[in-house]
Amino acid sequence: MFCEHRWDRSLAFGETVFPCPRPGPAPMLLWLLLILAPGRQPAGALPKALLLLKPPWSTAFEGETVTLFCKDHHSLAWEYVSWYHNETPLRKQSGRLQISKSGHYRCKTQRSSLSDPVHVQFLPDWLVLQASHPAFERDKVVLRCRGKEEEDIMERTYYKNEEKIGSSYNSNITVYPAFNDDSTYRCTASGMYILGMSWTETSRPLKIQVQELFPSPVLTASPSWPIEGSPVTLTCETWLPPLTSRTRLQFCFFKEHRALGAGWSNSPELQIPTMWSEGTASYWCQARTVIPRILKTSPRSQIRVHRVPVSDVNLETQPPVGQLIEGEDLVLICSVAAGTGTVTFSWHREGSERSLGRKTQNALSAELRIASVREQDAGRYYCAADNLDGPVLSKRIRITPRVPVSRPVLTIRGPRSQAVEGDVVELRCEAQRGSPPILYRFYHEDVPLGSSSAPSGGEASLNLSLTAEHSGNYSCEANNSLRVQRSKMVSLSITVPVSHPVLTLNPDVAQAMVGDVLELRCEAQRGSPPILYWFYHEDVILGNTSAPFGGGASFNLSLTTEHSGNYSCGADNGLGAQSSETVSLNITGLCKNKVTHITVGVIGCLLSMLGLAATAALVGRFRTQRKSGPQTGQKRGSEEAPGPELNTKLSLLCCLAIPP
């Protein structure tokens, strides 16, 4: 592939051409390497030889021969010529070489350096596209479409990048390819058979690479290291190929952005009568042709003038080391103990390729101000002083801006997502930025809980065993003596497991009657809402009730004789169920009716019961008296009472006597 030439706009004039490296071979593509763009010649190097072809075409048919000639700046060389085929030296030493083999050819004379390679190719094709050789930038190139049997060709057509650019019967065409042109050329030839049928042949593609008219100049100074006050001669070195010796070059010399002397001149030299150390700067030159208009620029060169070198370079800071706070300005002061002339000071930080700043002045010290120093500006700093005798470096000093703490972040970490009474949680406070040491304080509702220090920076933590009173807002504070910052509030809600609930009956009696409505009330004194209460009779669930805001809950029960037995309740808020103690309840068989319908029956039943009770008391007394007398320690009222069988019979009689 052809290389691309990069064109840069110079500071004063025109364009600067950068040389193009030699292209590699491309299969199935016919390259016309007239002469590769030459590289920059070192100062004092011999001009390159120029290899010429006769006939002047680098493409030929197999079986033909091409004669090579080697020319230097003086004339054609007829002896002592070195020839090379594909970089392999050939034994022939005469000034001409006849070839019939494809390949890259080069030559060299005693008064020139090695020429650029020329690729000559002998093809077995019926049709070839040829280009004239040599061709220079801004010059014309002749294209010829040649067939083995020219008389049979009726029309030739030429193409550039597959676009038709011309056609004729037997004439060539002229093109003006650019120096960095990457276009592909080809041609076709057509004719007629005897029977009237047409035919067409196509050549292989061809790329043309044009030779530079002259290489970019190189600026040299003599002497290369002048003594202060002595004259210096500047030379803008370049050369024209032998065939272009009639072309005239003009030269101009520059110091930084200013032209020296009278401007453009036909002489490639310029003398500076006196070179002072204060005049040391970048020098460069330009070379141009008038027709055609081609301009090229040399690299910049530094001319160093011998002078007293600087010594004992020292770097100081303001404020002093260790007292710089982030956000303040830092002043770097670079000074030298000795040195003459203009001194260039530069400031550097280790690890950075680019300097922080540069000043050139006729003084023994210079300052560089770095505004609003940040934490990332920390490092080892040094400065350099140079008065064109080479830079001298100072010792390195470490600069670490002290950073006020940033606003800390409080996080609370526990064994579970919802904090529960009895858990141990960790309060962790961290300021992302801040010079150590950092003192952290922890607060609950703005009441201090404790403090912890981070001597090397980073975070600190405090462990807390939770109780119900620890619910609320928490915050932390960071202090590194440069600034005090308080974190945002973090809320913590403590969930309390339910305590053992207490079951109460309403009415609060141990014995109830059939038909009563009994309220079972269950209440846990502690526990975070919501709480779900369950009610049990002989461990059989009666029902449940929720207390969404805490407190107790009730369950109503219409009693029957089957409701006698043990009752209990349970409470659960998701952290473990708790059960109450058992409460016993005895249900009697008495029926309850409306008072207005049974008043008489009740009074009669009561009188009957009183009579029966009196009779029973007399019988008991009688039995007692028949015994020897009361026993010692017997309590009063311990006489034998009527048995439960009698009471039950009386109750049933009474109940039977009462109408429904």
Side-chain angles (χ1 to χ4, degrees):
M1 122 181 226
F2 271 82
C3 63
E4 296 180 357
H5 296 273
R6 180 164 59 91
W7 298 76
D8 290 340
R9 181 68 57 185
S10 70
L11 295 172
F13 301 94
E15 298 157 333
T16 299
V17 181
F18 290 82
C20 183
R22 171 184 173 182
M28 300 306 294
L29 182 64
L30 177 61
W31 285 86
L32 176 62
L33 301 179
L34 294 175
I35 288 185
L36 298 182
R40 222 176 247 133
Q41 294 292 309
L46 292 174
K48 290 183 179 181
L50 178 63
L51 195 152
L52 302 176
L53 308 178
K54 186 177 181 181
W57 314 101
S58 62
T59 305
F61 291 113
E62 276 188 349
E64 296 181 336
T65 60
V66 174
T67 302
L68 308 182
F69 297 89
C70 194
K71 181 176 176 57
D72 57 25
H73 272 67
H74 298 273
S75 62
L76 285 175
W78 298 106
E79 57 185 9
Y80 303 111
V81 176
S82 300
W83 295 95
Y84 299 85
H85 176 234
N86 293 334
E87 306 302 329
T88 301
L90 301 178
R91 292 184 179 181
K92 189 170 180 62
Q93 298 293 319
S94 64
R96 67 174 65 187
L97 179 67
Q98 194 172 58
I99 63 172
S100 59
K101 186 177 181 179
S102 298
H104 290 86
Y105 290 87
R106 305 178 79 177
C107 70
K108 183 175 77 70
T109 71
Q110 292 179 329
R111 297 170 296 188
S112 68
S113 60
L114 197 63
S115 71
D116 290 310
V118 174
H119 187 206
V120 182
Q121 200 162 21
F122 298 91
L123 301 177
D125 302 342
W126 191 92
L127 184 71
V128 295
L129 177 62
Q130 298 175 315
S132 60
H133 169 83
F136 300 100
E137 54 185 320
R138 308 283 178 94
D139 201 358
K140 67 179 180 179
V141 175
V142 177
L143 297 180
R144 182 172 75 165
C145 191
R146 181 183 171 208
K148 283 188 176 181
E149 299 177 8
E150 288 284 303
E151 64 276 5
D152 293 338
I153 299 176
M154 299 181 63
E155 183 179 19
R156 295 173 173 85
T157 305
Y158 297 87
Y159 297 89
K160 177 183 177 181
N161 296 329
E162 302 305 322
E163 292 185 4
K164 182 178 178 181
I165 58 174
S167 63
S168 66
Y169 167 67
N170 59 359
S171 64
N172 305 329
I173 68 168
T174 301
V175 294
Y176 295 86
F179 179 55
N180 58 346
D181 186 25
D182 194 38
S183 300
T184 300
Y185 297 84
R186 68 178 179 89
C187 72
T188 61
S190 60
M192 298 289 291
Y193 291 112
I194 298 177
L195 298 178
M197 297 179 61
S198 63
W199 56 266
T200 302
E201 289 286 342
T202 302
S203 71
R204 298 193 190 192
L206 168 70
K207 281 192 175 181
I208 302 174
Q209 183 172 335
V210 181
Q211 178 187 359
E212 276 188 313
L213 181 60
F214 62 94
S216 297
V218 176
L219 180 68
T220 61
S222 179
S224 59
W225 191 3
I227 299 174
E228 188 173 10
S230 64
V232 173
T233 299
L234 303 180
T235 304
C236 194
E237 294 186 358
T238 187
W239 51 269
L240 290 166
L243 292 183
T244 61
S245 57
R246 294 183 180 181
T247 303
R248 298 303 177 191
L249 290 176
Q250 292 183 333
F251 303 90
C252 191
F253 297 84
F254 299 88
K255 174 185 176 182
E256 297 296 345
H257 310 312
R258 181 172 59 87
L260 300 176
W264 289 102
S265 168
N266 293 328
S267 174
E269 294 184 352
L270 175 70
Q271 187 175 63
I272 300 176
T274 304
M275 179 68 76
W276 297 104
S277 58
E278 289 79 9
T280 302
S282 294
Y283 290 82
W284 49 287
C285 69
Q286 287 186 330
R288 74 177 184 183
T289 59
V290 178
I291 299 174
R293 174 75 174 183
I294 299 174
L295 182 143
K296 297 182 181 182
T297 303
S298 74
R300 293 176 177 251
S301 301
Q302 293 284 340
I303 302 177
R304 297 183 177 181
V305 179
H306 182 65
R307 66 188 312 177
V308 177
V310 296
S311 61
D312 296 332
V313 182
N314 184 52
L315 177 64
E316 298 177 352
T317 66
Q318 192 62 243
V321 174
Q323 299 182 20
L324 178 66
I325 299 176
E326 185 184 46
E328 294 181 343
D329 291 353
L330 171 65
V331 180
L332 301 176
I333 306 170
C334 190
S335 61
V336 297
T340 60
T342 302
V343 181
T344 298
F345 297 91
S346 59
W347 291 264
H348 308 266
R349 185 177 69 177
E350 279 189 351
S352 176
E353 296 182 359
R354 299 183 60 183
S355 65
L356 302 175
R358 184 182 297 269
K359 288 185 178 180
T360 301
Q361 57 192 47
N362 193 2
L364 296 181
S365 66
E367 296 181 355
L368 176 70
R369 179 179 296 273
I370 302 176
S372 300
V373 175
R374 316 307 296 172
E375 183 181 14
Q376 54 267 28
D377 294 326
R380 288 164 58 88
Y381 287 75
Y382 63 96
C383 70
D386 184 10
N387 62 350
L388 304 182
D389 196 47
V392 180
L393 307 182
S394 70
K395 292 182 179 180
R396 284 147 172 81
I397 60 174
R398 179 169 292 280
I399 298 176
T400 305
R402 301 180 64 196
V403 181
V405 292
S406 59
R407 188 174 189 181
V409 176
L410 176 66
T411 56
I412 302 177
R413 299 182 179 180
R416 64 195 89 196
S417 58
Q418 175 62 49
V420 177
E421 184 181 42
D423 286 351
V424 175
V425 298
E426 178 188 37
L427 306 180
R428 179 173 295 179
C429 189
E430 181 177 11
Q432 295 295 325
R433 302 180 70 249
S435 298
I438 303 175
L439 179 64
Y440 292 97
R441 291 186 175 90
F442 299 86
Y443 298 89
H444 174 225
E445 302 293 355
D446 292 329
V447 176
L449 294 174
S451 63
S452 181
S453 178
S456 302
E459 60 186 30
S461 59
L462 178 71
N463 292 331
L464 188 64
S465 182
L466 299 180
T467 65
E469 291 73 20
H470 284 133
S471 291
N473 295 319
Y474 288 80
S475 63
C476 69
E477 180 182 88
N479 183 359
N480 69 343
S481 75
L482 300 176
R483 184 187 295 166
V484 179
Q485 292 273 41
R486 180 73 72 92
S487 71
K488 292 182 179 180
M489 291 287 186
V490 177
S491 296
L492 180 65
S493 176
I494 311 300
T495 302
V496 180
V498 293
S499 59
H500 287 283
V502 177
L503 177 65
T504 58
L505 306 180
N506 187 21
D508 187 11
V509 294
Q511 185 169 339
M513 293 180 292
V514 173
D516 285 349
V517 176
L518 181 67
E519 178 188 20
L520 305 178
R521 180 164 184 80
C522 190
E523 183 173 4
Q525 295 299 318
R526 298 180 74 252
S528 300
I531 302 175
L532 181 63
Y533 291 97
W534 296 84
F535 297 89
Y536 302 89
H537 174 226
E538 299 294 352
D539 294 329
V540 177
I541 297 175
L542 295 174
N544 61 73
T545 305
S546 177
F549 304 105
S554 300
F555 184 81
N556 294 328
L557 186 65
S558 181
L559 298 178
T560 65
T561 54
E562 290 79 10
H563 285 138
S564 292
N566 296 320
Y567 288 82
S568 63
C569 69
D572 188 4
N573 66 346
L575 299 177
Q578 298 287 350
S579 299
S580 70
E581 294 183 356
T582 301
V583 177
S584 298
L585 180 65
N586 185 29
I587 310 298
T588 64
L590 291 175
C591 299
K592 230 177 178 186
N593 296 288
K594 293 183 180 181
V595 177
T596 54
H597 295 162
I598 62 172
T599 302
V600 176
V602 170
I603 294 174
C605 182
L606 289 176
L607 291 177
S608 300
M609 290 178 66
L610 288 175
L612 292 173
T615 304
L618 291 176
V619 173
R621 183 71 175 172
F622 174 74
R623 291 179 178 176
T624 302
Q625 290 178 354
R626 291 182 59 184
K627 295 181 180 181
S628 59
Q631 301 295 321
T632 304
Q634 184 177 5
K635 294 181 180 180
R636 185 175 180 180
S638 61
E639 293 86 4
E640 185 178 350
E645 297 83 357
L646 180 59
N647 290 336
T648 302
K649 292 178 181 179
L650 292 175
S651 298
L652 292 173
L653 289 173
C654 176
C655 184
L656 293 172
I658 299 173

